[in-house]
Amino acid sequence: MTSQPAALHAATTEDFSHNLAAVRERIARAARSVGREPESVRLLPVTKTIPAERLRLAIAAGVDTLGENKVQEAQAKHEEFKLDYPHLRYAVIGPLQNNKAKFVAQFANEFHALDSLRLAETLQRRLEAEDRSLEVLIQVNTSGEESKSGIQAADAAELLAQLKPLDRLKPIGLMTMAANTTDEASIRASFTLLRETLGALRAGGAPEGFTELSMGMSGDFEIAIQEGATVVRVGQGIFGARQYPAQP
């Protein structure tokens, strides 16, 4: 892919509107390049480390879902915003320890990193206690990198079958992170494998709503869309490069 200009560090609602429009235009171009409708791809803003005051500006510009890697940060933002923005959705997109499942069950709408039956059963119990349900995506390690979470593609059918009796979990698709490389062929291979895995699961009798492919981030989401992504997770493209305190 050709390199994209860096996103403006958004500090006003107008800045956020500009960045959101730029990302959506990139999504539209990538979708049309392979004969897809832009509306077939959902933008999931990744809001990790972004403070509440900046998020309020982003919400005013149209952000309606917060994607968070750490459940405690996501929960804090839910508490901050639940009265002012009751329409907001919350997606936990990072790995989850079993002892944190109770928090996800309390507020999250989506969980993109399900990778074990044990975690699924823990979520089921916690959701029963909260009288809630949760959309879940099974995370698949498509790059083979030990640093990444997720099950092997060959194990996805077994885990999906094991979810059937867990009625509080609503399996809606698969999630992956591409290989950590600048080699486009390797990145594309990760996304192709996830798409092919979803196709095999659907052919094998996956639930009717099991259609989502959550893959692609700020640096590679065009490739992901070309390979079938229905959800792209974008942080820096919306918020700009993360700013860190100056070192003394």
Side-chain angles (χ1 to χ4, degrees):
M1 302 296 292
T2 57
S3 60
Q4 297 290 335
L8 176 72
H9 179 78
T12 67
T13 297
E14 290 73 21
D15 291 345
F16 280 111
S17 295
H18 175 275
N19 285 358
L20 284 165
V23 170
R24 287 175 177 138
E25 177 57 29
R26 289 172 61 187
I27 289 172
R29 285 199 304 266
R32 293 189 183 113
S33 74
V34 289
R36 298 180 60 193
E37 293 295 327
E39 295 75 17
S40 67
V41 184
R42 176 164 63 99
L43 172 60
L44 174 55
V46 177
T47 55
K48 64 180 182 181
T49 77
I50 306 300
E53 58 269 22
R54 290 189 70 209
L55 285 178
R56 289 181 181 275
L57 300 173
I59 294 165
V63 165
D64 59 8
T65 305
L66 307 187
E68 290 284 337
N69 289 64
K70 296 182 178 180
V71 63
Q72 287 167 305
E73 186 176 349
Q75 185 182 34
K77 288 171 180 174
H78 173 259
E79 291 299 315
E80 169 81 20
F81 296 137
K82 65 182 180 181
L83 295 181
D84 292 340
Y85 308 112
H87 68 285
L88 275 182
R89 288 175 58 86
Y90 298 84
V92 175
I93 59 179
L96 181 67
Q97 297 175 340
N98 280 271
N99 61 5
K100 303 270 181 73
K102 61 183 179 182
F103 303 118
V104 169
Q106 290 170 358
F107 73 92
N109 304 101
E110 309 170 30
F111 176 50
H112 286 231
L114 185 64
D115 61 359
S116 73
L117 176 60
R118 181 186 176 199
L119 178 56
E121 291 174 336
T122 302
L123 284 167
Q124 170 75 15
R125 291 193 299 272
R126 294 296 186 176
L127 288 162
E128 288 173 346
E130 298 289 339
D131 194 22
R132 298 184 73 246
S133 60
L134 179 68
E135 294 178 353
V136 296
L137 294 93
I138 295 172
Q139 183 171 359
V140 179
N141 185 333
T142 56
S143 68
E145 295 166 302
E146 293 183 2
S147 60
K148 288 187 169 63
S149 302
I151 64 172
Q152 298 302 303
D155 298 327
E158 180 181 5
L159 180 55
L160 181 60
Q162 291 171 331
L163 299 182
K164 287 182 180 180
L166 306 181
D167 62 335
R168 298 294 177 140
L169 301 182
K170 309 300 180 186
I172 62 171
L174 303 175
M175 176 271 217
T176 199
M177 298 177 65
N180 184 19
T181 177
T182 57
D183 179 61
E184 181 177 321
S186 296
I187 293 170
R188 190 176 296 277
S190 292
F191 298 145
T192 301
L193 177 56
L194 197 73
R195 171 172 49 79
E196 292 175 345
T197 302
L198 179 68
L201 293 174
R202 287 180 54 76
E208 181 179 353
F210 198 77
T211 59
E212 301 294 323
L213 287 171
S214 173
M215 57 189 195
M217 300 186 293
S218 289
D220 58 20
F221 69 74
E222 285 101 337
I223 302 173
I225 290 169
Q226 291 172 353
E227 294 301 324
T230 63
V231 181
V232 293
R233 308 180 304 271
V234 179
Q236 292 191 37
I238 297 171
F239 296 94
R242 294 190 186 90
Q243 294 187 335
Y244 299 96
Q247 296 297 316

